[in-house]
Amino acid sequence: MNTRVNTMKWLLRREFWEHKGAFFWAPVVIGAALVAMLGGGFLYSMAVTSGLDMQVDGHHVVAVNGIPHTLRHKLADIVASSYMAVSAPLFLVLPVVVFFYCLAALYDDRRDRSILFWKSLPLSDQETVLSKAAMALLVAPLITFAVGCAASLALLAIGLAGSALKGLNLVAPVLADGNLYLSPLYLLGFLPLYILFALPTVGWLMLVSSWARSKPFLWAVGTPLAAIAVLKWVDFLLSRFGGLRLPADWFIDEVVARGLGGLVPAIWLADMDNSVLSQMDRGLDGTLLLAHSYSALASPGVWLGAIAGVAMLFAASRLRRWRDEG
């Protein structure tokens, strides 16, 4: 058991070393750019203005130096519960990084013949594929999460310091707000849901990566699009001349969209009635957002997609065994 755990740790380290630029430096650079641009822009606006004036459509509404005590606490609640939202650009980059990593994960080993070296080591195909899937589904999101937390806290500190210098001191009420400490945990709570929705996409991309002899991107994206075109054409002919309809829309929504778009964080909200989220009037309500998001698990399609993802990962490991010679 310990040997398998150590082997998996070593394989994950190998993947991290080989793709350190995409998994680590890319989010770090984007996080630093966010802090520099948003934080610098905020400090600059504080430096060139005489006070923190709220304006709507260019018209002066209220100077925050004179806002009531209760409004300060409401503003502190919004800041404490929503400050992690500034890390959203990092989570938009994550699906791009993971998409191309999965697509190249097994294909590049065959293309540069390095698979012959890795095959000479006492490593099974299942362990290799599992380590790459764990890198895409678990390690990459955790690295992005850590960088997002650091960037959000840095921007929060800059915002609080800049506001305090202008007479709006929210440091104490923000530090006393429990959402300040719970927000990262709420965000981390979405990870199991993200893994379930990303499984079919990771499985499909790695299956193509293990099978394609060339141009894996065209196979991974072009095949589903070609299937849609053919299905739509057959559906048109059948409805036109035979009065029959094929489930083309179901295929697009439940197979193609789930198979290619599962890496996008919070993709599950796209198919849900999100009117309940309009109740959040004091910033992001992590508990409400988590409960609403996890209600997506009531759909059988989520579990069928996850099972299909696991099956495709298993097929990718089997293909890697005989596809290595090209």
Side-chain angles (χ1 to χ4, degrees):
M1 183 65 181
N2 288 334
T3 302
R4 288 187 175 181
V5 172
N6 290 332
T7 300
M8 186 55 61
K9 288 180 180 177
W10 186 86
L11 286 171
L12 290 176
R13 286 177 182 172
R14 171 215 166 186
E15 295 299 321
F16 180 73
W17 290 334
E18 286 190 354
H19 304 278
K20 191 174 182 179
F23 286 131
F24 180 73
W25 288 116
V28 166
V29 169
I30 295 171
L34 280 175
V35 173
M37 289 190 293
L38 296 180
F42 180 76
L43 291 178
Y44 175 76
S45 67
M46 293 295 100
V48 299
T49 57
S50 58
L52 286 173
D53 292 337
M54 293 182 181
Q55 295 186 355
V56 177
D57 295 333
H59 300 289
H60 176 263
V61 176
V62 63
V64 294
N65 289 336
I67 62 175
H69 183 71
T70 54
L71 188 56
R72 283 176 179 252
H73 278 275
K74 184 175 182 179
L75 185 58
D77 286 343
I78 294 174
V79 171
S81 60
S82 309
Y83 73 98
M84 288 294 297
V86 297
S87 63
L90 285 167
F91 292 93
L92 296 179
V93 174
L94 174 65
V96 179
V97 170
V98 174
F99 183 94
F100 286 101
Y101 165 75
C102 293
L103 205 54
L106 300 172
Y107 172 75
D108 282 355
D109 284 354
R110 289 185 290 114
R111 185 182 61 175
D112 60 17
R113 315 299 292 170
S114 62
I115 191 173
L116 299 177
F117 168 74
W118 297 111
K119 283 277 191 178
S120 67
L121 301 178
L123 300 170
S124 69
D125 296 302
Q126 289 82 4
E127 288 174 330
T128 302
V129 172
L130 185 60
S131 68
K132 293 177 183 293
M135 198 71 196
L137 293 168
L138 186 62
V139 179
L142 286 177
I143 293 174
T144 302
F145 166 77
V147 176
C149 285
S152 300
L153 288 173
L155 285 170
L156 178 64
I158 292 172
L160 291 177
S163 301
L165 291 176
K166 287 295 183 180
L168 180 61
N169 191 347
L170 296 176
V171 176
V174 168
L175 291 179
D177 197 311
N179 285 322
L180 173 69
Y181 312 100
L182 291 175
S183 291
L185 299 180
Y186 288 141
L187 184 59
L188 197 59
F190 290 106
L191 182 59
L193 202 55
Y194 176 79
I195 292 174
L196 280 174
F197 275 81
L199 254 174
T201 305
V202 170
W204 166 247
L205 294 176
M206 294 189 70
L207 179 63
V208 173
S209 183
S210 67
W211 172 81
R213 293 186 186 277
S214 64
K215 300 177 178 58
F217 179 82
L218 290 180
W219 284 110
V221 179
T223 302
L225 295 181
I228 290 176
V230 171
L231 191 60
K232 280 286 188 181
W233 176 245
V234 174
D235 180 51
F236 169 76
L237 293 178
L238 288 177
S239 62
R240 179 79 174 179
F241 302 106
L244 299 175
R245 296 301 304 267
L246 294 177
D249 293 337
W250 175 88
F251 178 78
I252 294 172
D253 294 339
E254 298 296 330
V255 179
V256 177
R258 196 178 292 278
L260 293 179
L263 295 175
V264 179
I267 188 66
W268 49 85
L269 294 178
D271 296 328
M272 301 176 68
D273 178 9
N274 299 313
S275 57
V276 66
L277 300 181
S278 62
Q279 303 173 11
M280 296 189 294
D281 59 347
R282 298 176 73 91
L284 293 176
D285 187 334
T287 305
L288 177 64
L289 195 54
L290 271 175
H292 178 63
S293 295
Y294 271 88
S295 65
L297 296 183
S299 171
V302 179
W303 300 102
L304 292 175
I307 293 171
V310 173
M312 286 187 283
L313 287 175
F314 177 75
S317 69
R318 301 296 296 177
L319 278 171
R320 185 179 183 270
R321 174 171 298 180
W322 60 268
R323 201 68 168 175
D324 57 333
E325 298 301 330

